[in-house]
């Protein structure tokens, strides 16, 4: 299944994509949130689609898409999880996953504007594969981690490098700014992704390819990441873990290249759709 949320910001309705067409399931399901995933919502949604199929109300194909997951309790990210990205940033390969958080207020839709923060001079891009947690998970064994996966989603881990690396603190300072976590266009359930360890992911800025990698190069694979993170905190249904980015970020160029108002970012992952964002200056 492919899950979408559509409509104006903070007023999104849940929907699905069937044969590349959007359908509205808000008459059956309030939202794709923690409660939905916690109460076996995916199975219920599958039953709804099985019963009603293309007789479901049609959703406007031109409607804005929001994040396919309503505001999660946590948006967790893994840093330096591709060897080529670690090398370009001058960082050593991590012996354990580097873990940081993005604020949930950073979450926006896949084609919403990316806003450069106030006083920012080093706003950067990162195409990433993110996994959505389907059930409560604490101290999960790696062998059982797959049972905790609801699906996968495309994520642009937008980052402000000065805030992240030069402001004397954790990476979170440069990761959680407003609009810094575009998610979508849809959540693809795990059964629809045949080989999650061999997906191409790419990103371009103003039509120029900056990143072109594959999840085959992940240092720490998804089952290990779920197990690892669950040793430190309970993962709740609907939580998102973003798995890292390949080489080609702005920080890695010599000299570095950063985003400016008017730039257009496009990115995608095999089977998980594409995003397109316009970069805008800070505004209240």
């Amino acid at each position: 299944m492919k899950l979408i949320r559509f409509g104006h910001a903070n007023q999104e309705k849940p929907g699905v994509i069937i044969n590349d067409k959007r359908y509205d399931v808000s008459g059956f399901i309030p939202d794709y949130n923690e409660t939905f995933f916690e109460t076996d919502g995916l199975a219920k949604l599958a039953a709804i689609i099985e019963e009603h199929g293309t007789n479901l109300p049609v959703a406007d194909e031109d409607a804005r898409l929001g994040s396919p997951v309503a505001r999660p309790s946590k948006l967790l990210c893994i840093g330096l999880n591709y060897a080529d990205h670690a090398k370009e940033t001058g960082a050593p390969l991590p012996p354990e996953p580097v873990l940081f958080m993005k604020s949930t207020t950073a979450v926006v839709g896949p084609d919403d504007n990316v806003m450069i923060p106030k006083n920012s001079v080093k706003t950067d891009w990162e195409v990433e594969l993110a996994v959505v947690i389907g059930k409560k998970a604490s101290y999960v064994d790696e062998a059982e981690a797959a049972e905790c996966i609801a699906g996968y989603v495309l994520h642009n881990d937008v980052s402000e490098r000065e805030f992240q690396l030069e402001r004397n603190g954790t990476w979170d300072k440069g990761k959680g700014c407003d609009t810094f976590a575009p998610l979508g266009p849809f959540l693809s359930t795990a059964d629809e992704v045949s080989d999650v360890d061999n997906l191409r992911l790419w990103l371009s800025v103003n039509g120029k390819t900056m990143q072109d990698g594959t999840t085959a190069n992940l240092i720490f694979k998804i089952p290990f990441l779920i197990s690892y993170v669950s040793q430190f905190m309970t993962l709740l249904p609907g939580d998102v873990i973003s798995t890292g980015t390949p080489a080609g970020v702005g920080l890695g160029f010599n000299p570095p290249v950063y985003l400016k108002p008017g730039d257009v970012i496009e990115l995608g992952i095999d089977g998980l759709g594409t995003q397109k964002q316009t970069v805008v200056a800070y505004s209240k």
Side-chain angles (χ1 to χ4, degrees):
M1 295 182 292
K2 291 183 173 67
L3 284 61
I4 58 171
R5 295 172 66 250
F6 64 95
H8 297 297
N10 302 314
Q11 300 177 29
E12 294 93 345
K13 294 180 179 181
V16 293
I17 296 176
I18 303 174
N19 297 327
D20 297 323
K21 192 170 184 178
R22 300 180 186 179
Y23 293 90
D24 183 346
V25 297
S26 62
F28 303 90
I29 292 170
D31 208 349
Y32 298 141
N33 53 20
E34 182 178 336
T35 299
F36 168 80
F37 293 105
E38 187 175 36
T39 56
D40 208 17
L42 287 176
K44 294 174 183 176
L45 179 61
I48 290 167
I49 294 173
E50 178 69 23
E51 180 178 356
H52 299 280
T54 54
N55 290 320
L56 289 164
V58 174
D60 183 359
E61 292 292 329
D62 295 324
R64 168 192 171 271
L65 290 177
S67 163
V69 181
R71 183 178 293 177
S73 81
K74 295 183 285 297
L75 176 51
L76 302 151
C77 298
I78 308 301
L80 305 175
N81 201 23
Y82 288 76
D84 56 358
H85 174 56
K87 181 179 179 180
E88 73 174 348
T89 62
L93 293 183
E96 295 185 40
V98 175
L99 179 62
F100 62 90
M101 291 188 176
K102 295 178 81 83
S103 66
T104 57
T105 51
V107 175
V108 291
D111 300 324
D112 289 343
N113 291 338
V114 164
M115 183 173 66
I116 295 179
K118 191 174 183 179
N119 301 318
S120 165
V121 293
K122 296 182 179 180
T123 295
D124 203 348
W125 57 83
E126 293 189 9
V127 58
E128 304 201 3
L129 170 68
V131 57
V132 179
I133 300 301
K135 66 178 184 180
K136 189 175 180 179
S138 180
Y139 298 104
V140 176
D141 290 335
E142 186 175 349
E144 300 172 347
E147 300 173 9
C148 302
I149 298 173
Y152 302 97
V153 66
L154 172 61
H155 173 219
N156 187 0
D157 176 19
V158 186
S159 309
E160 212 298 340
R161 302 303 187 186
E162 181 185 17
F163 299 175
Q164 175 191 354
L165 302 172
E166 302 173 36
R167 296 292 296 272
N168 194 35
T170 65
W171 286 11
D172 305 56
K173 289 181 180 179
K175 294 287 190 172
C177 306
D178 292 351
T179 75
F180 269 27
L183 293 174
F186 52 80
L187 182 158
S188 183
T189 50
D191 59 293
E192 292 217 1
V193 181
S194 59
D195 188 1
V196 73
D197 292 323
N198 193 28
L199 301 176
R200 177 178 177 247
L201 61 171
W202 59 270
L203 181 146
S204 69
V205 178
N206 300 327
K208 180 181 179 181
T209 298
M210 298 297 193
Q211 295 183 273
D212 193 350
T214 170
T215 57
N217 293 331
L218 282 169
I219 297 171
F220 302 106
K221 303 297 185 182
I222 290 170
F224 177 82
L225 292 175
I226 293 172
S227 174
Y228 182 86
V229 175
S230 77
Q231 308 305 307
F232 301 100
M233 65 194 76
T234 296
L235 297 170
L236 296 178
D239 281 356
V240 177
I241 301 176
S242 197
T243 60
T245 197
V249 301
L251 174 66
F253 286 86
N254 186 18
V257 178
Y258 295 116
L259 295 167
K260 61 186 183 303
D263 285 345
V264 176
I265 313 166
E266 296 181 80
L267 58 150
I269 298 179
D270 288 348
L272 294 177
T274 61
Q275 299 183 0
K276 184 176 182 178
Q277 296 117 24
T278 298
V279 180
V280 299
Y282 170 80
S283 65
K284 291 185 180 180

